[in-house]
Amino acid sequence: MSRILNIMPKKAQPWSGRFAQPVDEQVKRFTASVSFDQRLAKHDIAASLAHARMLAARGILPRRDLAAIQRGLATIAKEIAAGKFAWSVDAEDVHLNIEKRLTALVGDAGKRLHTARSRNDQVATDLRLWLRAEIDALAKLMVALQRTLLAQASRHAALLMPGFTHLQVAQPVTFGHHLLAYFEMFERDRERLPQIRKRTNQLPLGAAALAGTSFPIDRERVARELGFEGLCENSLDAVSDRDFAIEFCAAASLIMMHLSRLSEELVLWASPRFGFVRLPDAYCTGSSIMPQKRNPDVPELVRGKAGRVFGSLVALLTLMKAQPLAYNKDNQEDKEPLFDAVDTVKACVAVMSGLLSGLQPVPAAMRAAALEGHATATDLADYLVRKGVAFRDAHEAVARAVREAERRGVDLAALPLAKLKTFSREIGPDVRRVLSAQGSLDSRNHPGGTAPAAVRQAIARARKRLAQ
């Protein structure tokens, strides 16, 4: 679709009869939205066709005019698809651009198309149609991202790595289990999308400017043709509501927040200090001065773009917070934040899916890190509890053992059995199994646990959820 704006010969605006002077050229440029709302053209044409067919079915529009409108809109759709449509700032927006071209093609029939509607309900309808399609596209991208995570989690269900709290080594986990945490985040994100789609998929057309229309229209027919699930019930709300756009940006912000958390971990893991993963070459860049660098630009950009989507959400909330009913020109500012949020979140989900598919863990580095920081200390405390020691007493005994291990410069699991027994007489030779990282993993074999067997079961359940 061409975005070149051609200035057409000056013609009177469809509303200019009220004014004694033409619009100032600066004001014309300032108020025009066609530079960005032309992406609604496909949906504007679809809604106009449904509206025209309804008008003809109700006897409001002559059949010959319907035929002319259908012929003219088909021509316009082809021109737009071929990049040959002459967009004009003089025509303000996508709606008037199409209407002017239609009138040029089919004459007075084009002027009759706007019967029983307003640009207020027209743009609300177009925006909902556009967002509905984008929600569907994003949902598919989310599934692809989740499938990528599941594939990696399945390959590495038993790969030992340290689990962190406060970015300190806490307890052993598996890489597969860690990846499944992100699957769950994205699953919640995916579940929100059809809920938002349902509320988006309500027809505003028929509300006209704000009070409905005196023509005997059939809104249900238009809703059925366009695939809407219901009607916006109140005409004032229908033209002024942008909750659906705000809701989408809120959901997109959550997706971006989750992507940003994952990106942060990838940046850390790929650094030499961690060395847990190797990012695919195709998703890294080099330095213009330091030849050794492999910069994680993709996750860094995803992390940065999260703020961009958050900004779209705040912009829309701020846009709507003080608007009286019904439609106000402020609402022209709803599109660019929404468009940008959609474009950004889709791009980020897609690129992260590609990056993750080529991600390579470094098992030796993960294992070495998991054996630092006394990661099985909690397992030793649990061991003592099972021997009958009160948990607080067990906690104190293990804390003293950790202090001794740190004094010696070794991991807790490396302390001699004789020394361990000095902290609690309940400690016996069977403690070695408890203090091993593998033993720690295997002991957590329950739904939601990090044991390899539990991880594989979780992956199977996750795949079923995606298939539903």
Side-chain angles (χ1 to χ4, degrees):
M1 182 183 298
S2 172
R3 296 186 67 84
I4 299 174
L5 305 182
N6 299 312
I7 304 299
M8 300 175 69
K10 292 181 174 61
K11 295 181 180 179
Q13 300 288 1
W15 41 260
S16 60
R18 170 66 177 80
F19 298 90
Q21 293 180 331
V23 177
D24 181 88
E25 288 298 318
Q26 184 178 13
V27 171
K28 187 183 297 182
R29 291 190 297 272
F30 181 72
T31 59
S33 60
V34 68
S35 64
F36 51 85
D37 69 12
Q38 60 182 263
R39 71 162 68 189
L40 299 176
K42 170 185 173 182
H43 305 287
D44 192 74
I45 290 171
S48 290
L49 285 169
H51 181 68
R53 284 191 275 263
M54 179 274 293
L55 292 178
R58 300 293 288 177
I60 301 169
L61 184 72
R63 287 286 173 181
R64 64 179 180 278
D65 285 350
L66 172 60
I69 288 168
Q70 291 180 138
R71 184 175 65 254
L73 288 176
T75 298
I76 291 170
K78 291 178 182 177
E79 291 176 348
I80 292 172
K84 296 179 179 178
F85 190 86
W87 298 102
S88 168
V89 172
D90 285 313
E92 297 182 25
D93 55 34
V94 61
H95 321 293
L96 290 185
N97 268 269
I98 290 175
E99 181 180 319
K100 283 195 171 186
R101 178 60 177 151
L102 179 64
T103 301
L105 288 170
V106 303
D108 285 350
K111 297 178 182 178
R112 294 191 181 98
L113 174 59
H114 208 52
T115 304
R117 75 175 183 185
S118 161
R119 278 189 294 173
N120 294 357
D121 61 345
Q122 188 179 358
V123 67
T125 301
D126 294 355
L127 199 58
R128 286 172 183 260
L129 285 170
W130 176 85
L131 184 57
R132 183 181 74 186
E134 295 297 329
I135 288 171
D136 292 343
L138 177 58
K140 292 179 181 178
L141 292 172
M142 292 297 296
V143 170
L145 174 63
Q146 290 177 279
R147 291 194 191 284
T148 300
L149 282 168
L150 290 180
Q152 285 281 25
S154 181
R155 282 193 289 271
H156 305 295
L159 176 54
L160 176 67
M161 72 173 292
F164 296 91
T165 62
H166 309 279
L167 207 55
Q168 307 294 311
V169 173
Q171 292 179 276
V173 298
T174 68
F175 189 45
H177 189 63
H178 196 112
L179 292 176
L180 287 182
Y182 286 101
F183 175 91
E184 293 299 328
M185 296 180 208
F186 295 133
E187 179 66 3
R188 293 192 294 273
D189 293 330
R190 189 175 69 90
E191 288 173 352
R192 291 185 189 98
L193 293 177
Q195 298 165 4
I196 297 167
R197 189 190 194 279
K198 182 176 180 63
R199 285 186 286 275
T200 298
N201 203 27
Q202 306 295 314
L203 177 70
L205 205 61
L210 77 162
T213 177
S214 59
F215 290 94
I217 60 173
D218 184 351
R219 296 185 70 202
E220 288 82 2
R221 175 194 170 106
V222 176
R224 286 194 301 272
E225 180 169 343
L226 293 175
F228 283 102
E229 297 175 50
L231 307 177
C232 294
E233 292 288 344
N234 181 280
S235 61
L236 290 165
D237 181 57
V239 298
S240 62
D241 169 48
R242 293 299 183 270
D243 287 1
F244 62 95
I246 294 171
E247 248 194 302
F248 176 84
C249 286
S253 294
L254 283 168
I255 293 172
M256 291 303 299
M257 182 265 287
H258 295 147
L259 286 173
S260 184
R261 294 183 71 184
L262 177 55
S263 294
E264 172 70 5
E265 293 207 302
L266 291 173
V267 170
L268 289 173
W269 291 349
S271 70
R273 287 295 180 182
F274 277 77
F276 287 2
V277 299
R278 182 176 177 84
L279 304 182
D281 284 350
Y283 289 82
C284 295
T285 63
S287 166
S288 62
I289 189 172
M290 294 168 284
Q292 82 281 10
K293 297 292 291 298
R294 294 180 78 256
N295 294 330
D297 281 9
V298 168
E300 287 177 349
L301 268 175
V302 170
R303 188 176 60 188
K305 286 178 183 291
R308 183 170 177 160
V309 175
F310 298 170
S312 293
L313 172 60
V314 173
L316 287 177
L317 287 167
T318 306
L319 175 73
M320 296 302 300
K321 72 176 182 63
Q323 284 198 41
L325 289 173
Y327 181 85
N328 299 277
K329 189 66 170 179
D330 310 46
N331 281 358
Q332 182 171 295
E333 292 296 305
D334 63 354
K335 295 167 196 64
E336 288 179 290
L338 178 60
F339 293 164
D340 192 72
V342 168
D343 292 345
T344 301
V345 72
K346 285 172 62 182
C348 289
V349 170
V351 76
M352 189 62 77
S353 183
L355 183 151
L356 288 172
S357 66
L359 188 71
Q360 295 180 335
V362 182
M366 288 185 172
R367 170 171 280 278
L371 298 178
E372 297 175 351
H374 317 291
T376 56
T378 303
D379 296 273
L380 179 56
D382 290 344
Y383 166 87
L384 291 175
V385 169
R386 285 193 291 272
K387 296 279 188 174
V389 179
F391 181 79
R392 287 302 172 198
D393 293 336
H395 187 285
E396 175 64 22
V398 174
R400 287 187 285 110
V402 167
R403 196 161 63 242
E404 174 61 18
E406 288 180 341
R407 188 185 69 80
R408 295 186 179 207
V410 298
D411 187 70
L412 177 63
L415 287 177
L417 178 59
K419 188 62 183 178
L420 286 170
K421 289 180 71 69
T422 65
F423 302 108
S424 173
R425 63 175 181 270
E426 301 298 334
I427 295 177
D430 58 345
V431 77
R432 290 302 173 200
R433 172 67 178 168
V434 170
L435 288 176
S436 73
Q438 191 61 50
S440 176
L441 292 179
D442 291 342
S443 68
R444 287 160 171 78
N445 190 15
H446 56 76
T450 193
V455 170
R456 294 187 181 98
Q457 291 169 2
I459 292 168
R461 291 193 298 272
R463 284 179 171 148
K464 288 182 180 178
R465 286 153 70 187
L466 281 184
Q468 290 175 352

